[in-house]
């Protein structure tokens, strides 16, 4: 009812009502409306979320998106904002990554150091427990699978570093040098 009063008082075509963790509601002049859901977030600080949402709605509408699509994008940006401390600009890359996650498109699991550092920092802010392991998995066998499953059970995020062929060769050669040294027959 309040939305309808706002529409008539301002001669607007629609009103967007934000509903915290329940997303937003688009109420149209003709009396129809639609709830635009969002995904649950680990809320750290709500400062700036409304501003980010308003900016995204404006940008999306200027680019030709429907109001519902603009509000859905705004939910993404507002959600990213509440996971940060203070008012922090949301980078385009963050929005792209969130949209890819939302539709089930996985980024490559192989990351460079900077991407990994950024991802781990985000996960730490969200309270994830990060587990790290490394090894040579050239021939993946049941022992490896069990080891990785146990490692994964220790936290909410498992980082597996794969040793390079050079590091593995160095490790094996060092072990063999030690074995040969231990077997050496004194003269």
């Amino acid at each position: 009812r309040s939305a309808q009063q706002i529409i008539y008082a301002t001669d607007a075509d629609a009103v967007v009502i934000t509903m915290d963790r329940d997303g937003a509601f688009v109420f149209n002049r003709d009396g129809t409306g639609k709830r635009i859901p969002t995904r649950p977030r680990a809320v750290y600080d709500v400062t700036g979320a409304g501003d980010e949402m308003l900016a995204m709605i404006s940008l999306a509408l200027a680019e030709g998106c429907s109001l519902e699509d603009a509000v859905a994008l705004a939910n993404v940006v507002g959600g990213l904002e509440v996971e940060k401390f203070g008012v922090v600009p949301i980078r385009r890359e963050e929005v792209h990554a969130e949209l890819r996650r939302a539709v089930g498109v996985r980024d490559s699991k192989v990351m460079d150091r900077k991407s990994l550092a950024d991802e781990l920092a985000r996960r730490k802010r969200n309270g994830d427990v990060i587990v790290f392991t490394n090894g040579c998995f050239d021939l993946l066998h049941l022992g490896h699978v069990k080891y990785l499953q146990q490692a994964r059970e220790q936290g909410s995020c498992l980082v597996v570093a794969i040793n390079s062929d050079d590091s593995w060769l160095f490790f094996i050669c060092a072990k063999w040098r030690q074995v040969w040294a231990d077997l050496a027959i004194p003269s």
Side-chain angles (χ1 to χ4, degrees):
R1 182 179 152 131
S2 296
Q4 198 163 34
Q5 289 175 343
I6 292 170
I7 284 175
Y8 290 123
T10 61
D11 198 30
D13 292 329
V15 171
V16 176
I17 303 163
T18 59
M19 303 181 331
D20 197 11
R21 68 178 168 268
D22 294 322
F25 190 84
V26 177
F27 186 81
N28 299 299
R29 176 177 278 284
D30 65 7
T32 62
K34 182 175 182 181
R35 182 176 153 305
I36 311 294
T38 191
R39 77 171 178 83
R41 302 287 182 157
V43 178
Y44 189 73
D45 180 1
V46 297
T47 306
D51 295 331
E52 292 282 355
M53 287 187 71
L54 185 57
M56 179 51 82
I57 290 171
S58 300
L59 177 65
L61 290 174
E63 288 297 319
C65 288
S66 70
L67 180 58
E68 288 179 8
D69 288 343
V71 173
L73 286 169
N75 275 343
V76 169
V77 173
L80 291 168
E81 179 65 29
V82 300
E83 292 179 330
K84 299 173 184 271
F85 179 73
V87 179
V88 179
I90 303 302
R91 296 184 344 251
R92 179 184 320 208
E93 296 79 21
E94 293 174 276
V95 176
H96 288 175
E98 184 67 22
L99 291 173
R100 285 191 299 271
R101 271 191 282 274
V103 297
V105 175
R106 303 194 95 181
D107 289 335
S108 171
K109 292 186 179 191
V110 177
M111 297 182 176
D112 60 36
R113 288 181 183 169
K114 167 113 177 64
S115 298
L116 179 62
D118 290 347
E119 178 67 14
L120 294 179
R122 183 187 68 78
R123 287 177 175 269
K124 283 181 183 178
R125 283 192 306 270
N126 290 342
D128 287 350
V129 175
I130 298 166
V131 178
F132 176 87
T133 189
N134 72 305
C136 301
F137 302 102
D138 54 338
L139 296 174
L140 194 62
H141 56 74
L142 186 57
H144 287 134
V145 172
K146 287 183 178 182
Y147 172 75
L148 293 171
Q149 285 174 333
Q150 289 173 349
R152 178 62 175 94
E153 291 169 1
Q154 302 304 308
S156 52
C157 173
L158 175 62
V159 177
V160 179
I162 308 296
N163 291 6
S164 69
D165 288 342
D166 290 341
S167 70
W168 181 80
L169 185 59
F170 176 80
F171 174 75
I172 294 300
C173 289
K175 285 284 193 191
W176 275 109
R177 278 194 296 275
Q178 185 61 47
V179 167
W180 283 111
D182 292 346
L183 292 176
I185 300 170
S187 48

